[in-house]
Amino acid sequence: MVFKRKMYDKLKQWKELSGGSSAVLLEGARRIGKSTIVEEFAKNEYDDYMILDFAKEGKNVKNNFLENMNDLETFFRNLFLLKGRSLKGNHCVIIFDEVQLFPQARQAIKYLVADGRYEYIETGSLISIRKNVTDILIPSEEYRIKMYPMDFEEYLWAMGDNVTFEAMQSAFQHRKPLGDAIHRKIMQKFRTYMVVGGMPQAVNAFVEGKTFAQIDFIKRNILSLYEEDLAKYDTENREKASVIFKKIPEQLENKNSHFRFSLIDKNARYQNYVDAVSFIAEAMIGNECINVTKPEVALELFADRSNFKLYMGDTGLLVTQIMRNREDTEEDLYKALIFDNLGINQGMIMENIVAQMLKAAGHDLYFHEYQYLPEGAIKEQKYEIDFLAVKKKKICPIEVKSSGYTSHKSFDYLGKKYQMKMQDKYIVYTKDLKYQDEIMYIPLYMTMFI
C-alpha cells in the first residue's frame, strides 16, 4: 500500500520552485519509504519516468555515465537502448535510486540538469558518509531534503483518521485541554504508534490486521539490515558502530540517558569511537543529542560533542530492540506498552519518541546540564534540561516526564543562573494539556507542534 506522506508536498514544492534548475536528493535511513514516495510522485506529476536503481544496474549502465558525460546525445541514446525504452512526453523525470552506491551518477547531475531535457530525483541513504563522496564533485544543482519515518499524523492518515490531528493542533494553539475522554483516546492511539513505529512496512502490517508478533518480525528484519550496513562499515574502519547501535537501549536506561563508553568497553575513549557515533547519526538510524555548555541561541557554538545521548531513529525499532532481550511474548508486551502497564523503563521510550518528533519537526537535538546553588542549600546541585530548541531567537527548554510529575526546578534555576528570558517552556508528559506558571504542559503526542 502507498501511504500518504508529507514528503509528497515537499517534492511538489521543489518541482514548482526549481522549474528544472535543480535535481532533488531525498536522503534518509533505509526502509522509510523514499523509493515508494518518489515513484508515486513521478507517476502522478510527470508524463513519463524511468528508474535507475543503482543497487541493481549492471556495468553497462554505469559505464555509460563514466564514458559519455561529455556527449549527452550518445549518453541518452545508450541509456534508452540499455533500458529497452525511451521517455515519452514533454515533461519526464529520471530517478536515481540508491545513488550512494554509484556516486558518479550524483556527480553527473551538474551536466544533466544543465542539459535541461529531463528532471532528476535522487534517493539515497548514507549520502554524506566519507566513502560516498570521495573523489566526486558534489553538484551545487542539488536540492537536499531529509526524510524520516512516518510521523504521528502520517500514521493517523494510514489508519483513515483525518480528525484527530486537527483537534490536537487546535488545542495546542489555543492552550486548551482536550478533556479526559478525548485525551485518553488519543493517548492510546499514540502509544500504539510508538510501539508499531513509523516504518511503512510495519504500519502496513498493522493496517492489514497482522499480529504484533508478525509486526515485530518485520522490524527485526529492518534492524538486521541496519546491522549488516554497520558491520560493512566496521570491517572497513575497524570501528564499533554495530556494538554502539545494539547498545542504544542499554545506554538510554542510564541515569539521564547519557552515553557511557564504559558500557561498551571499560577502556573505551570518545576519540576512538567518534567516527562510529557519527556514522550512526549520518545514516539517520540514530539521533544524536549533544550537550551545550551554555544555553545561547547559537547552540552549536557551545556544543560539547564528547557528552551526548544517542536515541534510536524510530521508536518502534527501539521497542523491538528492547523486546529481543525479554522472554515474554511480543503480543503480551505490545499490549502492556499500549495500555501503560509494563514494568520496563518507559521513560526511555518516551524520551526517544520526543527526540524523534523534534528531529522530524526540523530541530537539531541539544541538551544542557548545569550546576546551581538554590536558596538555603549548602552546595551546588546538578540540573539538566532534556532538550533545547530555539524559537524567535530565544531559548525554548523542554523537559520530558514519564509520570504526571510536574516539578520544574530545572526551568526556574536555568532562568536565574543565566539571567535569561525564555520563549516558551514545555513539560512533555502523559496527561492532558494545561498552561500554568508560564509553562505549557503538553501530552506526548503534541511534541510535533513545538
Side-chain angles (χ1 to χ4, degrees), residues 89-107:
N90 298 320
H91 198 203
C92 302
V93 65
I94 299 177
I95 297 165
F96 291 0
D97 204 12
E98 302 289 6
V99 74
Q100 80 281 355
L101 297 173
F102 189 57
Q104 289 86 349
R106 193 175 168 203
Q107 180 170 270

Side-chain angles (χ1 to χ4, degrees), residues 239-240 244 261 264 268-277:
E239 284 287 2
K240 307 289 188 300
I244 289 174
F261 286 106
I264 294 166
R269 294 289 177 271
Y270 171 71
Q271 57 267 31
N272 299 330
Y273 283 82
V274 58
D275 285 349
V277 173

Side-chain angles (χ1 to χ4, degrees), residues 224-252:
S224 297
L225 189 72
Y226 289 175
E227 284 160 14
E228 282 168 26
D229 285 343
L230 293 169
K232 283 178 203 161
Y233 170 82
D234 284 343
T235 305
E236 290 168 19
N237 296 271
R238 298 194 302 278
E239 284 287 2
K240 307 289 188 300
S242 5
V243 178
I244 289 174
F245 185 68
K246 281 179 187 166
K247 289 273 186 184
I248 288 177
E250 196 179 330
Q251 296 284 356
L252 292 177

Side-chain angles (χ1 to χ4, degrees), residues 175 389-397 420-426 435 438:
R175 294 180 174 174
V390 175
K391 289 171 79 176
K392 298 180 181 173
K393 297 188 178 174
K394 284 184 188 164
I395 288 291
C396 168
M420 64 191 287
K421 282 190 174 175
M422 291 172 262
Q423 173 61 28
D424 293 304
K425 294 174 276 191
Y426 293 101
Y435 185 73
E438 296 186 334

